[in-house]
Amino acid sequence: MSAPVITKVDETPAITSLRRKDLLGIADLAADEITLVLDTAEAMKEIGSRPIKKVPALRGKTVVNLFFEPSTRTRTSFEIAEKRLSADTLNIAIASSSVVKGETLADTALNIEAMQPDMIVLRHSSSGACHLLSRICRSAIINAGDGMHEHPTQALLDAFTIREHKKRLQGLKVAIVGDLMHSRVLRSNIHLLTKMGADVWVCGPPTLIPTDITRSGVRATTRVDEAVADADVIMLLRIQLERMEGAFFPSLREYFNVFGMTEARLRLARPDVMIMHPGPMNRGVEISSEVADGPYSVILEQVANGVAVRMAVLYLLAGGAEHETAA
Amino acid sequence: MKRLLKGGRVIDPVNGIDGVHDVLIDGDRIAAVGRDLPVDGASVVEIPHGLVVCPGFIDMHVHLREPGQEHKETVATGTAAAVAGGFTAVACMPNTTPVNDDANVTAYILSKAAEAALARVYPIGAVSRGSKGELLADIAELKQAGCVAITDDGHPVKTAMLMRRAMEYAGMFGIPLIEHCEDPSLKGDGVAHEGYIAATLGLRGMPGACEALGVERGVLLSELTGSAFHVAHMSARASLRAVRKGKEAGVRVTCEVAPHHFTLTDEALGSPIPYDTNTKMNPPLREAADRDAMLSGIGDGSVDAIATDHAPHHYDEKKVEFDRAPFGIVGLETAVSLSLDRLVHAGLIRLPRLVELLSVNPARILGVAGGSLSAGAPADVTVIAPDLRVRIEAARFRSRSKNTPFDGWELRGGVAATFVGGRPLFVNPEAGLAV
């Protein structure tokens, strides 16, 4: 079997595979594992630029995309990644309403397990759902977003995109602005960026800042100008309409006035600032259209890179080069 | 028949006894406590050196689940767990199906307890019909049928007005109102203590203030009505502050703390098993400052009782996502070991104080028999082995449910024997006692 060509940009990473069965969160990963994923993703990205966008790395492997929450971007991205690696893929979308009537998550997973898949990509509204599956499943579990906990592949693709532009993560000022409390993207990004030595600032209304967030090694502020001043990267997080009902803030209009990313605020950042958003965006709420569509925005690059990063994760969890040698 | 417990250290705080004594049991009553009592035809139980004879322990906060939730626990399995855990009596919460808001339900529970003939069962009636917080339950009839207190446990009493009326009304019978202290709007859909751990794990939080608001309300209403108010399963340092303040002001407020709240912190939600649903209970495991406050309250006497909030759940119900799992863990078969290990051997309290927390004070708060070895009292006796090495094995629990975060824990201190009405209902072969 021919391995995808791994081209290395900087020094060779000390490791060639992930030291784990599952990818449950960035919290568990060491810095060298993160670097390995990002380096591997560079090679994977090259595959996506070929006329024949397919390699046999996961031929004969079965990957189940088990989604309990609606998702377009993440599910599509995983599916394309799996197909480019020649895995056999299966999508199961379960509305949470049918779970209420039907079987438990554990039983659903065990039934899927009985059909001998190699990997399960899980998206679920409950924090810790992937940990539950990890304890009862033999298959590799990949977290595609669990509740408010983690969304590790999103953080990896964010880091990949930043690294492509800035050639490093160490020492960059990254400002993350929006609904911090309910965001799994935030939690994964905090783990990843602090492990890789970035200077992370988080910003939002005090009602949406998680308890003791600064214990995670980030700086927190409610003053958006302070957060974005001299920032290398500004990452916006989605503001959901229903948060008004929880009295987290009075109105979307007021939110935009106080925290929304506008061209005026952007000028406080470094001249080469990158604007990122994990999607889906609320234009005119957390980000103005001028900024979203403007020259600093890398939002669509993030989506493109998502495929390469997910290919890297799938490939490495399947055993990477070691697995292919053995096969 | 007569039975002579010979030569153990006897701790009976009510009678000022702490020393090597004999305890003579005649039928179902204590006949005498004294040095070198004559055998006089009694069957002799030699108490080995190091074991301690105490008035029977009373767990004033237990969910027996019967009627209606027998897949979790029954009166029989729950009282079997009680005696195995050193408890001669338990007070059971009214959140059964149907709710114990009716003398017939009380009578049913007591008939099941009589059938099981294990630990004594003291039912606690509901404050309101169906515990819905609208109309008062028939409190006089509940009391007459055998209820020893009222509570809408599982939830706080819905309104301050209803709580005030319930306290005034229950005050006529001298029974306390036991409150699950919580401000529902502040709790929201919280599933864990609001703090760094919940924030990191992405779990919705409920702050300690949510509990303390309920404590403050109860203390104020107890002051207003003059009726007894008891804080169930206290967990937050702000709650302890409110209780201390109330006691200083002469309010009739008492409180209990559960072993998990003086042993664990919210760190247990992330490790060793991330999102272990056996670390999910309400009130939740709180941060270290709260746990330490509970320990200090136990140490300085502000806390009146240790109660388990024994909350059995079937493993199917717990083997789900953390936020979907029911709140609660079993506690009857781990409480004494945790108390000895974490309170006595840690140097926080001495054994006589532990006996007050587990026996004297629960009896006094509920106004039930027990809590002493006085001549003529029911022969409810717990013999503990403070230095016994114990390994918690959930699979061996008598309880129908095994939902504990302490499985596999090794602790110093255990139960040697449990006598209810003079009958040895549990004898631990590892403690060296032959009955």
Side-chain angles (χ1 to χ4, degrees):
Chain A
M1 187 183 283
S2 67
V5 182
I6 310 280
T7 52
K8 308 224 171 49
V9 180
D10 32 38
E11 76 267 37
T12 308
I15 54 168
T16 56
S17 68
L18 295 176
R19 294 183 288 265
R20 57 200 67 255
K21 161 180 158 299
D22 310 303
L23 179 64
L24 303 179
I26 303 292
D28 311 322
L29 294 185
D32 60 352
E33 290 177 289
I34 292 167
T35 302
L36 174 67
V37 174
L38 300 182
D39 290 350
T40 307
E42 285 179 14
M44 295 298 173
K45 187 166 183 177
E46 184 273 325
I47 294 169
S49 65
R50 295 178 193 170
I52 307 293
K53 299 179 177 56
K54 206 172 182 85
V55 293
L58 293 191
R59 196 168 58 194
K61 299 278 180 191
T62 307
V63 183
V64 175
N65 300 314
L66 182 57
F67 277 60
F68 287 87
E69 272 188 339
S71 158
T72 311
R73 206 179 333 264
T74 304
R75 196 193 55 68
T76 310
S77 180
F78 266 108
E79 191 177 352
I80 291 176
E82 291 150 10
K83 292 195 153 124
R84 285 190 183 162
L85 293 172
S86 304
D88 296 313
T89 70
L90 181 72
N91 294 312
I92 305 176
I94 301 177
S96 40
S97 58
S98 67
V99 173
V100 174
K101 310 179 212 145
E103 63 189 357
T104 62
L105 173 62
D107 279 339
T108 302
L110 290 173
N111 276 275
I112 292 169
E113 271 273 290
M115 296 178 251
Q116 307 288 325
D118 298 283
M119 296 184 177
I120 297 175
V121 177
L122 180 70
R123 158 72 62 97
H124 197 282
S125 60
S126 293
S127 300
C130 297
H131 288 80
L132 174 63
L133 253 58
S134 162
R135 285 198 285 275
I136 60 177
C137 291
R138 176 198 47 81
S139 313
I141 306 298
I142 299 177
N143 185 353
D146 65 322
M148 308 189 298
H149 175 230
E150 282 224 41
H151 191 355
T153 57
Q154 178 70 43
L156 287 163
L157 74 88
D158 290 341
F160 183 86
T161 308
I162 297 170
R163 209 178 69 159
E164 266 197 333
H165 283 259
K166 307 287 186 193
K167 310 298 174 206
R168 67 191 167 104
L169 295 167
Q170 175 84 33
L172 296 179
K173 178 175 179 181
V174 181
I176 307 176
V177 185
D179 179 353
L180 309 171
M181 179 178 284
H182 302 95
S183 176
R184 52 193 172 213
V185 175
L186 173 84
R187 288 172 176 81
S188 286
N189 262 303
I190 286 179
H191 287 304
L192 192 151
L193 292 167
T194 55
K195 279 175 203 233
M196 303 308 282
D199 176 24
V200 182
W201 287 67
V202 300
C203 176
T207 48
L208 288 172
I209 297 180
T211 317
D212 292 340
I213 186 81
T214 52
R215 277 177 63 185
S216 312
V218 303
R219 283 189 267 191
T221 177
T222 54
R223 288 163 41 213
V224 68
D225 289 356
E226 185 186 18
V228 302
D230 298 315
D232 297 284
V233 177
I234 299 172
M235 200 179 281
L236 289 325
L237 299 174
R238 177 177 167 79
I239 293 293
Q240 289 178 326
L241 190 63
E242 39 298 5
R243 300 297 171 221
M244 282 192 302
E245 290 157 23
F248 290 104
F249 56 87
S251 68
L252 296 177
R253 184 179 52 81
E254 177 159 311
Y255 181 88
F256 181 71
N257 286 337
V258 182
F259 296 100
M261 197 49 53
T262 58
E263 289 181 303
R265 287 195 172 119
L266 212 52
R267 283 187 213 107
L268 300 169
R270 291 179 58 87
D272 58 347
V273 68
M274 301 167 64
I275 297 292
M276 307 180 78
H277 195 303
M281 270 189 290
N282 283 315
R283 293 168 178 266
V285 182
E286 66 267 10
I287 187 168
S288 74
S289 280
E290 290 74 16
V291 173
D293 302 330
Y296 305 103
S297 170
V298 297
I299 294 170
L300 292 176
E301 284 179 43
Q302 289 174 267
V303 179
N305 290 335
V307 175
V309 164
R310 290 179 175 116
M311 286 170 76
V313 167
L314 291 158
Y315 172 74
L316 291 168
L317 283 181
E322 291 160 22
H323 150 75
E324 293 195 69
T325 313
Chain B
M1 77 174 275
K2 286 187 182 177
R3 190 174 263 126
L4 186 66
L5 310 185
K6 194 156 186 55
R9 175 180 172 190
V10 175
I11 299 179
D12 181 13
V14 169
N15 292 303
I17 295 171
D18 181 359
V20 176
H21 284 73
D22 300 339
V23 176
L24 181 65
I25 296 170
D26 187 358
D28 62 355
R29 298 275 153 181
I30 302 285
V33 176
R35 286 185 207 278
D36 300 319
L37 294 179
V39 174
D40 191 22
S43 81
V44 174
V45 179
E46 294 285 350
I47 306 293
H49 180 72
L51 267 51
V52 180
V53 180
C54 312
F57 294 164
I58 301 169
D59 188 345
M60 60 183 297
H61 196 131
V62 166
H63 298 269
L64 292 179
R65 304 297 191 205
E66 192 175 6
Q69 299 152 27
E70 291 85 355
H71 64 293
K72 299 175 195 260
E73 193 79 287
T74 64
V75 172
T77 59
T79 51
V83 295
F87 291 99
T88 56
V90 296
C92 62
M93 291 292 150
N95 61 338
T96 45
T97 315
V99 169
N100 184 14
D101 61 356
D102 183 296
N104 287 309
V105 179
T106 309
Y108 178 81
I109 294 168
L110 288 172
S111 74
K112 289 290 174 182
E115 220 171 87
L118 294 163
R120 293 178 202 277
V121 173
Y122 298 115
I124 295 174
V127 167
S128 61
R129 283 189 211 171
S131 283
K132 286 183 164 51
E134 286 152 13
L135 302 170
L136 283 181
D138 292 324
I139 295 170
E141 292 179 14
L142 288 168
K143 157 80 178 156
Q144 209 165 19
C147 287
V148 298
I150 52 170
T151 185
D152 275 349
D153 185 56
H155 304 280
V157 176
K158 199 168 181 183
T159 66
M161 178 57 92
L162 186 72
M163 183 183 251
R164 177 206 177 156
R165 296 289 183 238
M167 278 184 171
E168 286 173 336
Y169 195 81
M172 137 170 92
F173 314 109
I175 59 174
L177 186 144
I178 299 174
E179 175 73 338
H180 171 116
C181 295
E182 175 179 288
D183 180 281
S185 69
L186 202 51
K187 181 199 171 204
D189 49 8
V191 297
H193 170 65
E194 185 176 302
Y196 176 69
I197 299 293
T200 305
L201 293 173
L203 297 172
R204 288 171 206 275
M206 41 180 143
C210 162
E211 177 184 285
L213 271 173
V215 177
E216 298 272 11
R217 179 180 81 161
V219 169
L220 288 169
L221 292 175
S222 174
E223 185 176 29
L224 178 68
T225 60
S227 294
F229 173 65
H230 178 77
V231 179
H233 44 51
M234 185 171 73
S235 65
R237 57 192 191 271
S239 302
L240 179 65
R241 199 166 62 215
V243 166
R244 281 178 176 151
K245 213 173 58 183
K247 286 186 168 186
E248 277 164 26
V251 178
R252 296 178 63 197
V253 57
T254 53
C255 65
E256 72 195 26
V257 172
H260 49 269
H261 285 130
F262 67 65
T263 302
L264 296 171
T265 66
D266 56 356
E267 301 266 354
L269 276 66
S271 149
I273 304 171
Y275 300 96
D276 182 0
T277 56
N278 287 332
T279 62
K280 180 179 176 181
M281 61 286 284
N282 186 19
L285 297 176
R286 298 201 185 272
E287 59 201 54
D290 291 302
R291 192 267 318 268
D292 295 347
M294 295 308 108
L295 288 170
S296 85
I298 288 167
D300 72 12
S302 310
V303 171
D304 298 279
I306 293 168
T308 65
D309 192 10
H310 177 83
H313 291 293
H314 194 272
Y315 77 87
D316 280 346
E317 296 165 314
K318 280 287 198 181
K319 197 180 169 187
V320 295
E321 301 87 320
F322 191 91
D323 55 359
R324 294 179 192 211
F327 292 107
I329 59 169
V330 292
L332 283 168
E333 292 169 83
T334 50
V336 167
S337 291
L338 287 167
S339 299
L340 286 165
D341 191 283
R342 296 303 159 120
L343 303 178
V344 177
H345 294 307
L348 187 70
I349 58 171
R350 294 172 189 279
L351 284 171
R353 168 79 177 131
L354 184 68
V355 175
E356 289 175 4
L357 289 161
L358 284 167
S359 178
V360 179
N361 293 346
R364 176 175 53 82
I365 293 165
L366 295 176
V368 299
S372 85
L373 297 174
S374 305
D380 293 358
V381 178
T382 300
V383 184
I384 55 174
D387 292 311
L388 186 68
R389 299 284 165 178
V390 168
R391 185 185 156 83
I392 307 290
E393 288 179 67
R396 294 178 57 194
F397 283 173
R398 266 74 161 180
S399 171
R400 183 162 282 183
S401 294
K402 321 292 176 194
N403 49 313
T404 176
F406 301 114
D407 195 20
W409 280 42
E410 289 179 5
L411 298 166
R412 184 173 159 208
V415 178
T418 310
F419 295 82
V420 179
R423 295 173 303 139
L425 296 181
F426 173 75
V427 178
N428 182 351
E430 287 163 36
L433 191 77
V435 176

